[in-house]
């Protein structure tokens, strides 16, 4: 079977959960004997380093069957590519590959029109989309966190969305929703890593008959990693992930500062290891708050609180970083769709302490395979840290409650059960005629968005 994976970003360029899952699906497809391809859409500012002038799609250096995609005139609001030439190149590549399955792992930066172009290039292929976020539902970065007061949003309605973006009328959101739903309906299957996000998208309007929940899997470490080892003090708490507002680093810092002020720190103290990259994606106000909290903690006359900022890390460094901590805290303040960091913690035998919300709350069961606390509640997290620091008995109990998580092969096999095997290998399509293709996939197939919706500013 020929399978084309289409992703936003590539893990070799920028770490991130969606691109990691897409690439590990590609690796699993190869391991299962299939022919796998990858197209990764990069950001416009990365074109100078990885692109080629005038070429929207280029081979990934040193890799077979992998390509970087630089769609032009991307519109964040509509998740739309505004230049038909980019889509023509994407169409040509899909037609030359002639895949049996086309698996999109995002639409951000890729552009939803790429789904339509893929359908035109490979009309008999099974096309599917895995949703790693809620950008189609929510214009606020897909976070469903209100821009006005940072409250959690439980349903996107035109009135509520107008409240977050007052310069856009409610009917704008009705039209945006209808357009995105119509293009997404080109897909044959929708995949979701958790029941939570599947329900959200079905409530939004996707066809339930096309929806399938398949948890994310990942490549497991080599057996030599000693998963049952912990530090002598059992008091090292680690954060792993993106250094952005809704990941909750400030919740951890608030919690340990509260313990220090109330003089509830354990005798051996606590160490907080912050493994976070991509600070440039965080807002200035959030970075200022985090930096102020760290400075306040370091100014305390108490050496029982130690903060270590270890910065970003590569996939190759994950084992070393994980084995430096005893507990992994995922204090997300948004509707975390899956929580790949939980899988990474469990992969190395680290008990997870998570916000009891969305995908995190589905996966981690309190005092069974980890610990939960109410989202955004730093006082509740402080209580947990005070209870668990130095508590080897609780560490052992949670460690033993961790069950083997899905591998990348388990994840791929679950998708294969939905896709099914192809009835026969399709014949390679003829090389497209340039003039005919221009007529087939010209600008009239992808109408000017401003004519449909009016000019909008990027969110």
């Amino acid at each position: 079977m020929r399978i084309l994976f289409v992703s936003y970003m590539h893990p070799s360029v920028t770490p991130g959960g969606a691109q990691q899952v897409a690439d590990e699906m590609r690796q699993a497809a190869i391991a299962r004997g299939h022919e796998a391809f990858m197209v990764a859409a990069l950001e416009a500012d990365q074109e100078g380093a990885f692109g080629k002038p005038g070429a929207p799609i280029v081979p990934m250096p040193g890799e077979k069957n992998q390509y970087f995609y630089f769609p032009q005139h991307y519109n964040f609001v509509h998740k739309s590519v505004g230049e038909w030439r980019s889509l023509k190149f994407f169409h040509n590549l899909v037609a030359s590959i002639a895949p049996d399955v086309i698996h999109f792992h995002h639409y951000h930066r890729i552009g939803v029109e790429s789904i339509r172009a893929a359908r035109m290039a490979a009309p008999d292929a099974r096309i599917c989309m895995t949703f790693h976020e809620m950008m189609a539902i929510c214009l606020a970065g897909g976070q469903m966190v209100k821009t006005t007061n940072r409250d959690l949003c439980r349903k996107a309605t035109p009135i509520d969305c107008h409240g977050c973006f007052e310069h856009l009328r409610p009917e704008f959101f009705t039209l945006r929703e209808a357009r995105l739903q119509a293009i997404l309906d080109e897909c044959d299957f929708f995949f979701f890593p958790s029941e939570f996000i599947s329900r959200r998208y079905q409530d939004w309007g996707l066809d339930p008959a096309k929806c399938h929940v398949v948890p994310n899997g990942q490549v497991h470490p080599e057996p030599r990693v000693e998963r049952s080892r912990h530090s002598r003090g059992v008091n090292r708490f680690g954060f792993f992930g993106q250094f952005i507002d809704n990941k909750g680093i400030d919740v951890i810092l608030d919690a340990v500062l509260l313990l220090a002020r109330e003089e509830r720190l354990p005798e051996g103290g606590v160490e907080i290891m912050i493994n976070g990259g991509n600070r440039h994606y965080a807002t200035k106000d959030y970075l200022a708050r985090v930096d102020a909290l760290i400075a306040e903690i370091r100014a305390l006359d108490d050496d029982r609180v130690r903060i270590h900022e270890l910065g970003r890390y590569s996939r190759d460094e994950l084992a070393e970083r994980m084995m430096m901590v005893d507990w992994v805290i995922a204090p997300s303040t948004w509707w975390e769709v899956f929580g790949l960091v939980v899988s990474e913690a469990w992969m190395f035998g680290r008990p997870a302490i998570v916000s009891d919300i969305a995908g995190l709350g589905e996966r981690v069961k309190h005092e069974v395979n980890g610990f939960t606390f109410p989202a955004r509640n730093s006082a509740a997290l402080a209580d947990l840290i005070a209870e668990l620091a130095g508590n080897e008995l609780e560490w052992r109990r949670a460690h033993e409650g961790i069950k083997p998580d899905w591998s990348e092969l388990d994840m791929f096999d679950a998708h294969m059960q939905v896709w099914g095997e192809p009835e026969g290998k399709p014949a390679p399509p003829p090389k497209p005629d340039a003039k005919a293709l221009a007529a087939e996939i010209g600008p009239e197939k992808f109408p000017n968005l401003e004519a449909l919706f009016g000019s909008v500013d990027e969110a």
Side-chain angles (χ1 to χ4, degrees):
M1 180 183 288
R2 283 188 165 193
I3 307 171
L4 171 61
F5 297 98
V6 186
S7 171
Y8 165 60
M9 304 300 289
H10 193 283
S12 66
V13 176
T14 302
Q19 52 266 42
Q20 178 184 319
V21 170
D23 189 54
E24 294 191 353
M25 276 279 286
R26 179 189 65 84
Q27 296 177 44
I30 294 170
R32 290 296 195 223
H34 301 283
E35 193 172 4
F37 301 77
M38 170 78 88
V39 174
L42 303 190
E43 294 285 3
D45 60 3
Q46 295 171 320
E47 189 170 4
F50 301 104
K52 181 179 179 182
I57 295 181
V58 298
M60 182 176 170
E63 296 293 336
K64 180 183 178 182
N65 294 341
Q66 296 196 67
Y67 304 87
F68 289 144
Y69 183 26
F70 300 95
Q72 302 298 303
H73 304 295
Y74 177 71
N75 185 297
F76 176 86
V77 171
H78 297 291
K79 308 298 173 237
S80 176
V81 174
E83 190 220 32
W84 72 274
R85 182 173 171 271
S86 298
L87 296 166
K88 182 182 77 171
F89 270 76
F90 182 80
H91 175 284
N92 281 354
L93 179 62
V94 175
S96 67
I97 292 172
D100 300 296
V101 173
I102 304 170
H103 190 172
F104 286 88
H105 275 266
H106 227 304
Y107 39 79
H108 174 47
R109 188 64 187 159
I110 299 163
V112 291
E113 294 86 359
S114 297
I115 302 171
R116 181 78 47 84
R119 173 63 73 196
M120 293 166 67
D124 296 326
R126 279 150 290 180
I127 298 179
C128 60
M129 172 72 71
T130 289
F131 293 88
H132 297 277
E133 39 51 53
M134 295 175 283
M135 283 186 176
I137 302 175
C138 172
L139 190 54
Q143 302 282 295
M144 294 201 74
V145 175
K146 293 183 182 296
T147 62
T148 51
N149 55 17
R150 308 302 297 166
D151 283 352
L152 291 169
C153 183
R154 283 168 169 76
K155 187 174 182 180
T157 68
I159 300 297
D160 285 338
C161 294
H162 169 70
C164 284
F165 300 94
E166 293 184 349
H167 65 293
L168 299 174
R169 294 178 59 82
E171 56 263 35
F172 167 86
F173 293 98
T174 300
L175 290 170
R176 177 182 183 269
E177 176 182 293
R179 174 180 176 271
L180 289 174
Q181 288 179 359
I183 298 180
L184 288 170
D185 196 49
E186 294 277 2
C187 296
D188 300 300
F189 309 107
F190 301 124
F191 290 99
F192 308 91
S194 64
E195 291 285 353
F196 164 79
I197 189 173
S198 177
R199 289 194 301 270
R200 279 289 168 97
Y201 268 102
Q202 289 180 53
D203 291 344
W204 179 68
L206 292 190
D207 182 355
K210 293 184 177 183
C211 296
H212 304 268
V213 175
V214 176
N216 292 329
Q218 60 181 334
V219 175
H220 286 190
E222 296 181 19
R224 69 170 182 268
V225 175
E226 182 49 67
R227 298 173 69 257
S228 62
R229 177 168 58 87
H230 58 71
S231 74
R232 181 177 298 179
V234 201
N235 62 345
R236 296 178 179 175
F237 297 81
F239 169 89
F240 293 80
Q242 305 285 340
F243 205 112
I244 54 179
D245 298 30
N246 289 325
K247 290 297 185 179
I249 294 174
D250 57 322
V251 178
I252 300 175
L253 299 174
D254 274 332
V256 294
L257 188 58
L258 180 64
L259 290 176
R261 287 172 176 166
E262 295 180 352
E263 298 183 351
R264 290 198 291 142
L265 288 166
E267 190 62 32
V270 295
E271 295 189 54
I272 306 298
M273 314 239 178
I274 301 175
N275 300 274
N278 294 333
R279 285 176 67 101
H280 58 287
Y281 288 138
T283 63
K284 291 182 179 178
D285 288 345
Y286 182 74
L287 289 178
R289 170 168 163 70
V290 168
D291 290 341
L293 285 169
I294 291 174
E296 187 174 356
I297 291 169
R298 287 176 173 163
L300 293 171
D301 186 21
D302 193 336
D303 62 0
R304 288 180 296 172
V305 182
R306 297 176 290 281
I307 306 293
H308 307 280
E309 294 182 85
L310 304 178
R312 64 176 292 175
Y313 56 95
S314 68
R315 183 73 174 160
D316 293 339
E317 297 173 296
L318 181 61
E320 179 184 354
R321 297 282 186 101
M322 276 287 175
M323 298 311 290
M324 290 172 62
V325 306
D326 303 307
W327 319 83
V328 172
I329 306 180
S332 293
T333 60
W334 76 292
W335 306 99
E336 190 76 61
V337 168
F338 180 73
L340 201 60
V341 67
V342 172
S343 298
E344 293 172 341
W346 286 348
M347 190 162 61
F348 295 99
R350 310 294 94 181
I353 303 167
V354 307
S355 302
D356 185 8
I357 190 171
L360 292 175
E362 279 184 33
R363 304 185 67 205
V364 178
K365 304 305 178 187
H366 188 63
E367 296 185 342
V368 176
N369 57 4
F371 305 87
T372 64
F373 65 96
R376 305 181 173 202
N377 191 328
S378 54
L381 177 57
D383 291 341
L384 267 178
I385 291 174
E387 176 187 350
L388 298 176
N391 193 331
E392 184 177 1
L393 181 62
E394 285 293 344
W395 190 94
R396 288 288 175 197
R397 185 166 69 175
H399 170 80
E400 290 169 3
I402 297 171
K403 303 303 180 187
D405 211 17
W406 273 32
S407 70
E408 79 284 10
L409 296 175
D410 296 324
M411 173 175 59
F412 178 80
D413 292 345
H415 283 83
M416 278 293 298
Q417 289 181 9
V418 177
W419 295 336
E421 292 285 353
E423 294 180 2
K425 187 177 174 102
K431 191 172 183 179
D433 176 75
K435 291 183 179 179
L437 180 61
E440 178 188 5
I441 197 170
E444 68 279 1
K445 295 289 185 179
F446 304 96
N448 182 277
L449 291 170
E450 291 190 4
L452 289 176
F453 298 103
S455 180
V456 296
D457 296 325
E458 286 199 357

